[in-house]
Amino acid sequence: MSRIFLRAAVLATALSAACAAHASDDGFSWRFSGFGTAGYAATNSDDVLFTNPGQLKGARKGGSALVDSRVGGQIDFSFTPKLGATVQAIAMQDARGRFRPQLEWGFVSYKASDNVTVRLGRLGWPAYLVSDYRYVGYANPWLRAPLEVYNLAALDRYEGADLRWSHDLADGVFTLQLLEGHASSPLPESTERNARIKVNQLSGAYATYEIGNLRVRGGLSTGKATYVSQNTDMLAAGLGMAGYGAVATRLLPQNNRATFLSLGGTYDAHNIMATGEYGKLRSSGLLGVAQGWYGTLGWRHGDWMPYATWAGYSKQDDSDLYAVPPVGPLLPLSMGVSQLAAGNDQHTASLGVRWDAASKLAIKAQFDHVRPSVAGGTFTKIQPGYNGHPVNVVSVAADFVF
């Protein structure tokens, strides 16, 4: 893993040098920025797998550097005072367990007026408080964004357009962002190259207000979700052959309406940092109804900031809505349906510390005491016989920008 990460870092540095070598003064300007995280995480249990959202491989007792490590670069172009473009690429573990670069953002922007900007292309989905810099670890207080909220929806980006309108309000700035497009996100699966969730007719509206040391963001997205997977297709076919086709239709999302609501805020002044966020996903079928929240309080002392986080997550139990009798040849189908529709929950208490070792380098350590349900909470690859016992996660990371 270390060789892979260093190779990606060298590529990012080479990209920066190449951009500098080809800079010109013929009417446009550009700016390159890079970021990365070298991290390591380990748990005290082999019964579950600890991952970030969308990852196939993760950490158990043996530990892993694949969970949090990443490196990325961004180039912002300005062609005229009104017309620009942005390209961002990040190398990190994907849904097939590979550590390779992918295009995160790629869009053109047009400033129609002092207050209105229109963007078109591949854009970041702005549903979360730190969506604009979620993978820039240096910009975040924690070692990783709390999974109880950031694991609710599987989207990071979408293809489409947005419109941003900003206006001075009182002593702060109010920004309204409207979006429209579609999204497709791979699902963690080693044997299925096409396993993914697709969202068509995606639209949303988000408001951000910044005043002094306070920043608040909230909004709603909605779209029609489809779950594409050979495993779920086989389950649907089996249910149909057994006479439970109606259960398959209701359980497995095919253009089902899904909505995601979120609200969060951060206050950062003097030696106090406080942040919190709430999110709720609502859909029929497999996605179901789930919600998550967290609150973090940190105290700055020179270059050090210890912090504590309390977070919770819950998914509604819909087993009764999709019941298949667990008898005879129906038993495998019943177990598959129950697993997809079962309820789930988790609570996590975290303690961490951030040390700003240099102007562009932060060292972090974090301890998470996670109490999931027998369904595993946000953990994956739950082993048979797991009884919901608490799991401890220990992580260290170096976040840097360049």
Side-chain angles (χ1 to χ4, degrees):
M1 168 60 207
S2 59
R3 290 195 299 271
I4 296 175
F5 185 83
L6 288 173
R7 193 156 53 236
V10 169
L11 287 173
T13 304
L15 176 60
S16 177
C19 289
H22 290 85
S24 65
D25 298 320
D26 57 359
F28 75 94
S29 62
W30 56 266
R31 181 174 64 87
F32 173 83
S33 57
F35 55 90
T37 296
Y40 183 83
T43 75
N44 67 338
S45 174
D46 287 329
D47 293 332
V48 295
L49 187 70
F50 177 74
T51 64
N52 270 317
Q55 293 183 340
L56 177 67
K57 300 177 181 179
R60 288 193 171 100
K61 280 185 177 181
S64 173
L66 281 172
V67 177
D68 297 302
S69 296
R70 67 184 70 92
V71 65
Q74 178 173 318
I75 306 177
D76 297 292
F77 297 97
S78 178
F79 303 108
T80 73
K82 292 183 177 294
L83 183 64
T86 295
V87 176
Q88 183 187 97
I90 304 178
M92 58 184 176
Q93 186 197 166
D94 64 13
R96 305 295 173 261
R98 305 164 300 188
F99 191 92
R100 58 174 56 186
Q102 57 187 353
L103 180 65
E104 191 72 10
W105 300 345
F107 60 84
V108 295
S109 59
Y110 179 72
K111 191 172 183 180
S113 69
D114 290 341
N115 297 333
V116 176
T117 300
V118 179
R119 305 187 301 173
L120 177 66
R122 174 170 286 188
L123 301 158
W125 188 42
Y128 296 112
L129 184 62
V130 300
S131 287
D132 298 337
Y133 45 89
R134 175 178 177 180
Y135 295 116
V136 185
Y138 184 82
N140 292 308
W142 342 265
L143 190 143
R144 73 181 63 85
L147 300 183
E148 285 75 9
V149 171
Y150 284 76
N151 201 45
L152 285 172
L155 302 182
D156 282 330
R157 55 188 179 268
Y158 70 99
E159 280 75 39
D162 73 358
L163 182 148
R164 292 188 176 191
W165 175 75
S166 298
H167 184 72
D168 293 339
L169 179 62
D171 293 325
V173 178
F174 174 82
T175 301
L176 178 64
Q177 182 176 0
L178 306 177
L179 66 91
E180 190 77 28
H182 61 89
S184 179
S185 181
L187 296 169
E189 176 58 59
S190 59
T191 60
E192 289 190 46
R193 300 182 64 87
N194 297 319
R196 62 184 54 245
I197 184 169
K198 296 182 178 180
V199 182
N200 294 316
Q201 300 179 28
L202 175 66
S203 59
Y206 292 89
T208 304
Y209 185 60
E210 298 179 78
I211 179 170
N213 301 305
L214 177 66
R215 179 174 181 265
V216 179
R217 170 181 278 185
L220 176 74
S221 283
T222 183
K224 292 190 174 182
T226 298
Y227 201 91
V228 180
S229 167
Q230 293 177 6
N231 292 332
T232 54
D233 288 348
M234 291 174 59
L235 177 61
L239 289 170
M241 293 175 60
Y244 289 89
V247 172
T249 300
R250 295 197 310 271
L251 176 64
L252 303 175
Q254 299 294 325
N255 255 9
N256 286 1
R257 175 66 61 182
T259 59
F260 185 73
L261 170 72
S262 59
L263 176 64
T266 297
Y267 177 80
D268 194 344
H270 307 297
N271 62 336
I272 298 297
M273 188 284 302
T275 184
E277 194 168 5
Y278 171 82
K280 184 170 185 176
L281 174 68
R282 178 177 291 275
S283 180
S284 59
L286 182 150
L287 296 178
V289 178
Q291 59 184 345
W293 54 267
Y294 69 84
T296 298
L297 181 64
W299 179 71
R300 300 183 189 279
H301 182 70
D303 295 329
W304 296 82
M305 187 185 74
Y307 60 88
T309 300
W310 176 242
Y313 157 80
S314 64
K315 179 180 181 293
Q316 181 175 294
D317 189 343
D318 292 329
S319 300
D320 292 343
L321 300 178
Y322 310 103
V324 175
V327 295
L330 294 179
L331 181 58
L333 296 176
S334 177
M335 293 177 62
V337 170
S338 296
Q339 184 178 10
L340 294 178
N344 201 357
D345 63 76
Q346 172 176 303
H347 286 87
T348 301
S350 303
L351 292 175
V353 62
R354 170 181 176 140
W355 173 40
D356 285 282
S359 61
K360 297 182 179 181
L361 173 66
I363 309 298
K364 299 175 184 176
Q366 185 169 307
F367 172 81
D368 303 305
H369 181 69
V370 189
R371 299 185 63 88
S373 66
V374 293
T378 61
F379 292 100
T380 62
K381 296 188 179 179
I382 315 303
Q383 298 301 303
Y386 174 67
N387 60 4
H389 64 73
V391 178
N392 296 328
V393 182
V394 178
S395 310
V396 292
D399 294 321
F400 54 90
V401 293
F402 55 93

